[in-house]
């Protein structure tokens, strides 16, 4: 707890002085000898610690490793971090601590909303760079959302979000001069959405067939 408080204060201090981004880049460059490991571990840690700046990590990865490798390392860390949190919460969800969270009215409302709509809202939430992904992972784990729906939403949603942030980070100046790039990003989001809904329907059909056979 003491170390966590120190970390929070350091991040807050760096953010207030506009030095957080430079600090992350310096840390990645300092541990460059470890290869892609720091670029993967930092986004993975954010899934467990919401105080960490995922967008900052993704931008820094795109600067240090380049667009493609930076995107890949960020995506691997964020994807597996989210799935790990989801699986841990799903496994330990009956513990007293999680029961207290589950009884919260707002949490209950979000859980029911996710259960009713499945892939759609999860995908959209994962697409937004500043959505509280660690909170979403926990609430999804406590809900009755299927593991397949969650993994699919994280797989596609994080791909859109991380690629968009990496792309913006590597060519932020050219966005204002070339609006076509903004349209390309929007089309990519729409295509991922359609693909996700198609796969979700296929999963639902398979689930229904299995339930009919078992019945």
């Amino acid at each position: 707890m003491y170390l966590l408080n120190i970390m929070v204060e350091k991040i807050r201090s760096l953010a207030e002085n506009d030095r957080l981004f430079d600090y992350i880049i310096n840390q990645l460059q300092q541990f460059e000898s470890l290869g892609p490991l720091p670029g993967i571990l930092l986004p993975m840690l954010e899934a467990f610690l919401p105080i960490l700046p995922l967008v900052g990590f993704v931008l820094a990865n795109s600067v240090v490793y380049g667009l493609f490798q930076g995107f890949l390392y960020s995506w691997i860390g964020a994807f597996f971090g989210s799935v790990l949190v989801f699986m841990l919460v799903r496994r330990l969800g009956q513990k007293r601590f999680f029961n207290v969270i589950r009884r919260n009215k707002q949490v209950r409302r979000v859980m029911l909303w996710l259960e009713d709509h499945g892939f759609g809202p999860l995908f959209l939430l994962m697409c937004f760079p500043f959505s509280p992904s660690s909170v979403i992972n926990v609430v999804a784990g406590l809900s009755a959302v299927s593991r397949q729906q969650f993994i699919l939403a994280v797989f596609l949603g994080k791909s859109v979000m991380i690629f968009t942030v990496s792309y913006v980070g590597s060519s932020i100046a050219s966005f204002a001069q070339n609006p076509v790039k903004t349209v390309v990003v929007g089309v990519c989001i729409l295509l991922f959405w359609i693909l996700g809904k198609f796969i979700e329907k296929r999963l639902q059909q398979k689930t229904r067939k299995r339930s009919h056979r078992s019945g």
Side-chain angles (χ1 to χ4, degrees), residues 54 110-111 113-114 118-137 139-140 150 153-154 156-158 160-161 189 193:
L54 178 60
V110 175
M111 284 170 59
W113 184 57
L114 292 177
F119 168 83
L122 275 173
F123 170 80
L124 285 177
L125 287 168
M126 295 296 175
C127 281
F128 292 120
F130 298 101
S131 62
S133 57
S134 53
V135 176
I136 297 164
N137 300 333
V139 174
F150 179 80
V154 174
L156 295 176
K158 290 288 186 187
V160 171
M161 185 275 283
I189 292 173
W193 167 270

Side-chain angles (χ1 to χ4, degrees), residues 15-70:
E16 286 174 354
N17 294 300
D18 295 323
R19 291 190 293 116
L20 183 58
F21 184 56
D22 292 334
Y23 176 77
I24 296 169
I25 290 177
N26 288 335
Q27 292 301 304
L28 287 172
Q29 290 173 337
Q30 188 176 337
F31 295 101
E32 198 173 356
S33 59
L34 296 175
L37 201 58
I40 294 171
L41 286 178
L42 287 176
M44 186 180 286
L45 281 173
E46 187 275 339
F48 294 86
L49 299 170
I51 58 163
L52 297 177
L54 178 60
V55 172
F57 294 153
V58 175
L59 286 170
N61 275 349
S62 67
V63 171
V64 174
Y65 299 107
L67 174 59
F68 177 72
Q69 284 181 298

Side-chain angles (χ1 to χ4, degrees), residues 10 23 35 49 61 64 83 103-104 111 129 131 136 139 147 149 156 161 168 178-179 191 204 206 210 213-214:
K10 186 169 184 64
Y23 176 77
L49 299 170
N61 275 349
V64 174
V83 173
R103 283 196 292 268
N104 182 282
M111 284 170 59
S131 62
I136 297 164
V139 174
R147 184 172 56 189
Q149 281 184 328
L156 295 176
M161 185 275 283
V168 170
N178 190 1
L191 289 174
Q204 287 174 345
K206 287 181 180 179
R210 284 174 191 164
R213 284 172 189 169
S214 59

Side-chain angles (χ1 to χ4, degrees), residues 79-149:
F79 173 74
F80 283 103
S82 293
V83 173
L84 276 172
V85 171
F86 175 84
M87 298 301 286
L88 283 171
V89 173
R90 184 59 58 94
R91 188 174 181 82
L92 304 173
Q94 300 306 316
K95 299 291 183 184
R96 184 180 298 175
F97 172 74
F98 289 111
N99 284 333
V100 173
I101 297 174
R102 191 185 275 108
R103 283 196 292 268
N104 182 282
K105 285 184 180 180
Q106 287 184 324
V107 172
R108 286 292 306 165
R109 200 174 294 128
V110 175
M111 284 170 59
L112 291 170
W113 184 57
L114 292 177
E115 289 166 5
D116 288 341
H117 297 89
F119 168 83
L122 275 173
F123 170 80
L124 285 177
L125 287 168
M126 295 296 175
C127 281
F128 292 120
F130 298 101
S131 62
S133 57
S134 53
V135 176
I136 297 164
N137 300 333
V138 172
V139 174
L142 292 172
S143 73
V145 170
S146 73
R147 184 172 56 189
Q148 293 93 331
Q149 281 184 328

